[in-house]
Amino acid sequence: MAAIPSAKPGAPVLEALGLTLEYRTDRGRVLAVDRVDFAVGEGERLVLLGQSGCGKSSILKAVAGFLPAAAGKVRVRGRDVTGPGPDRIVVFQEFDQLLPWKTVRDNVAFPLRVARRLPAAVAREKAEAAIVKVGLHRALDAYPHTLSGGMKQRVAIARALASEPDVLLMDEPFAALDALTRRRLQEDLLALAEELRFTLLFVTHSIEEAVLIGTRLHLLSAHPGRTVATFDTAAFGFADRTSPAFETVVAEVNALLFDGPAAPAAEAAHG
């Protein structure tokens, strides 16, 4: 595969520069991620893919500001990330992200009032607009315990989009859903991405999902996570899932993922 650029021309929205992450355990420090670099341009969708334990969720936590770097840095619009901030919003896999005592509308409006400090009327208007975009206009006054898992994830996505972050972070948001709901939400996410042109960092363990969701796919080695290759996947959509080109990329990613090169990442990386 030919080398491809790490981001669109112009200043990237999100950068990881030599990012190294460690965890402290009873046995000492454990290296989770080793010198990973990537850049994500405006409106791009970068997917981190790798086997369990490769550090992809750790990278997302570092971008969110929850995990400090042992070396290297993360930057958003040229500013070093030193902690959590409203410029980065996370949608997790778990369904318990919502406040159970608040309605759908209030769950989405709450961070707008607290983090963005918007007046109540403005927060309510933005919340309702985001809820309509994810197809939950009939559930504005519903409480989380009355919602299905897929509906709860839609609320979480609406809450993230309403905040208009510089980077939307998603950590395997559809992994716990049934196949039909997962497919529907994947399609909806891509439609929203085309409409709103948000910048996305998405973590998954599914090869097909990675190729479908991302405009680029960043493949990580097994523990510790190092860059193996970068794939340009912007041309693929749901209509291409059975195309020879799609199947070729899936097969190449699969081969690298499970029979990957033993060479150092600097020698093995495509991008």
Side-chain angles (χ1 to χ4, degrees), residues 14 38 40 44-48 56 59-61 63-64 167-171 199-203:
L14 170 65
F38 58 77
V40 191
E44 281 195 308
R45 305 186 301 275
L46 180 67
V47 177
L48 301 178
K56 53 189 183 293
I59 292 174
L60 188 139
K61 290 175 183 176
V63 173
V167 184
L168 176 59
L169 308 172
M170 305 188 83
D171 191 3
T199 302
L200 174 66
L201 182 64
F202 189 99
V203 167

Coordinates of all heavy atoms in Angstrom, one line a residue, residues 14 38 40 44-48 56 59-61 63-64 167-171 199-203:
L14 N -6.3 17.7 15.7 CA -5.8 16.9 16.7 C -4.5 16.2 16.3 O -4.4 15.8 15.2 CB -6.8 15.7 17.0 CG -6.4 14.6 17.9 CD1 -6.1 15.1 19.4 CD2 -7.4 13.5 17.9
F38 N 0.0 10.6 15.2 CA -1.0 10.8 14.2 C -1.5 12.2 14.2 O -1.2 13.0 15.1 CB -2.2 9.8 14.4 CG -2.9 9.9 15.7 CD1 -3.8 10.9 16.0 CD2 -2.7 8.9 16.7 CE1 -4.4 11.0 17.2 CE2 -3.3 9.0 17.9 CZ -4.2 10.0 18.2
V40 N -5.1 14.5 12.8 CA -6.4 14.4 12.3 C -6.9 15.8 11.9 O -6.9 16.8 12.7 CB -7.4 13.9 13.4 CG1 -8.8 13.6 12.7 CG2 -6.9 12.7 14.1
E44 N -12.2 15.1 9.5 CA -11.7 13.7 9.3 C -12.2 12.8 10.4 O -12.5 13.3 11.5 CB -10.2 13.7 9.3 CG -9.6 14.1 8.0 CD -8.1 13.7 7.9 OE1 -7.3 14.0 8.8 OE2 -7.7 13.0 6.9
R45 N -12.2 11.5 10.1 CA -12.6 10.5 11.1 C -11.5 9.5 11.2 O -11.3 8.7 10.3 CB -13.9 9.9 10.7 CG -15.1 10.8 10.5 CD -16.4 10.2 10.3 NE -16.4 9.3 9.1 CZ -16.6 9.7 7.8 NH1 -16.8 11.0 7.6 NH2 -16.6 8.8 6.8
L46 N -10.7 9.6 12.3 CA -9.6 8.6 12.4 C -10.0 7.5 13.4 O -10.5 7.8 14.5 CB -8.4 9.3 13.0 CG -7.1 8.4 13.3 CD1 -6.6 8.0 11.9 CD2 -6.1 9.1 14.1
V47 N -9.9 6.3 12.9 CA -10.2 5.1 13.7 C -9.0 4.4 14.2 O -8.1 4.1 13.4 CB -11.1 4.1 12.9 CG1 -11.4 2.9 13.7 CG2 -12.4 4.7 12.5
L48 N -8.9 4.1 15.5 CA -7.8 3.4 16.1 C -8.3 1.9 16.2 O -9.4 1.6 16.8 CB -7.5 3.9 17.5 CG -7.0 5.3 17.6 CD1 -6.8 5.7 19.1 CD2 -5.8 5.6 16.7
K56 N -5.4 1.3 22.5 CA -6.3 2.2 21.8 C -7.2 3.0 22.7 O -7.3 4.2 22.5 CB -7.1 1.5 20.7 CG -7.9 0.3 21.1 CD -8.5 -0.4 19.9 CE -9.4 -1.6 20.4 NZ -8.6 -2.7 21.0
I59 N -5.1 5.6 24.5 CA -4.9 6.8 23.6 C -6.0 7.7 23.7 O -5.9 8.9 23.9 CB -4.6 6.4 22.2 CG1 -3.2 5.6 22.1 CG2 -4.5 7.6 21.3 CD1 -2.9 5.0 20.8
L60 N -7.2 7.2 23.6 CA -8.4 8.0 23.7 C -8.5 8.7 25.0 O -8.9 9.9 25.1 CB -9.7 7.2 23.4 CG -11.0 8.0 23.2 CD1 -11.8 7.4 22.1 CD2 -11.8 8.0 24.5
K61 N -8.2 8.0 26.1 CA -8.2 8.6 27.4 C -7.2 9.8 27.5 O -7.4 10.8 28.2 CB -8.0 7.6 28.5 CG -9.1 6.6 28.7 CD -8.7 5.5 29.7 CE -9.8 4.5 29.8 NZ -9.4 3.4 30.7
V63 N -6.1 11.6 25.0 CA -6.7 12.7 24.2 C -7.8 13.4 25.0 O -7.8 14.7 24.9 CB -7.2 12.2 22.8 CG1 -8.0 13.3 22.1 CG2 -6.1 11.6 22.0
A64 N -8.6 12.7 25.7 CA -9.6 13.3 26.5 C -9.1 14.1 27.7 O -9.8 14.9 28.3 CB -10.6 12.2 27.0
V167 N -13.2 18.0 19.0 CA -13.0 16.6 18.6 C -14.0 15.8 19.4 O -14.2 15.9 20.6 CB -11.6 16.1 19.0 CG1 -11.4 14.7 18.6 CG2 -10.5 17.0 18.4
L168 N -14.7 14.9 18.6 CA -15.6 14.0 19.2 C -14.9 12.7 19.4 O -14.3 12.1 18.5 CB -16.8 13.8 18.3 CG -17.9 12.7 18.7 CD1 -18.5 13.0 20.1 CD2 -19.0 12.6 17.7
L169 N -14.9 12.1 20.6 CA -14.2 10.9 21.0 C -15.2 9.8 21.2 O -16.1 10.0 22.0 CB -13.3 11.1 22.2 CG -12.4 12.3 22.2 CD1 -11.7 12.5 23.5 CD2 -11.3 12.1 21.1
M170 N -15.0 8.6 20.6 CA -16.0 7.5 20.8 C -15.2 6.3 21.0 O -14.4 5.8 20.2 CB -16.9 7.4 19.5 CG -17.6 8.7 19.1 SD -18.8 8.5 17.8 CE -20.2 7.9 18.8
D171 N -15.5 5.7 22.2 CA -14.8 4.5 22.6 C -15.7 3.2 22.5 O -16.5 3.0 23.4 CB -14.3 4.6 24.1 CG -13.3 3.5 24.5 OD1 -13.0 2.7 23.7 OD2 -12.9 3.5 25.7
T199 N -15.0 16.5 13.6 CA -13.7 15.7 13.7 C -13.9 14.6 14.7 O -14.2 14.8 15.8 CB -12.5 16.6 14.0 OG1 -12.5 17.7 13.1 CG2 -11.2 15.9 14.1
L200 N -13.5 13.4 14.3 CA -13.8 12.2 15.1 C -12.6 11.3 15.4 O -11.8 11.0 14.4 CB -14.9 11.4 14.4 CG -15.3 10.0 15.1 CD1 -15.9 10.2 16.4 CD2 -16.2 9.2 14.1
L201 N -12.4 10.9 16.6 CA -11.4 9.8 16.9 C -12.3 8.7 17.5 O -12.9 8.8 18.5 CB -10.4 10.3 18.0 CG -9.4 9.3 18.4 CD1 -8.5 8.9 17.2 CD2 -8.5 9.8 19.5
F202 N -12.2 7.6 16.8 CA -13.1 6.4 17.1 C -12.3 5.2 17.4 O -11.4 4.9 16.6 CB -14.0 6.2 15.8 CG -15.1 5.3 16.0 CD1 -16.4 5.7 16.2 CD2 -14.9 3.9 15.9 CE1 -17.5 4.9 16.3 CE2 -16.0 3.0 16.0 CZ -17.3 3.5 16.2
V203 N -12.6 4.5 18.5 CA -12.0 3.3 18.9 C -12.9 2.1 18.6 O -14.1 2.1 19.0 CB -11.5 3.3 20.3 CG1 -11.1 2.0 20.9 CG2 -10.4 4.3 20.5

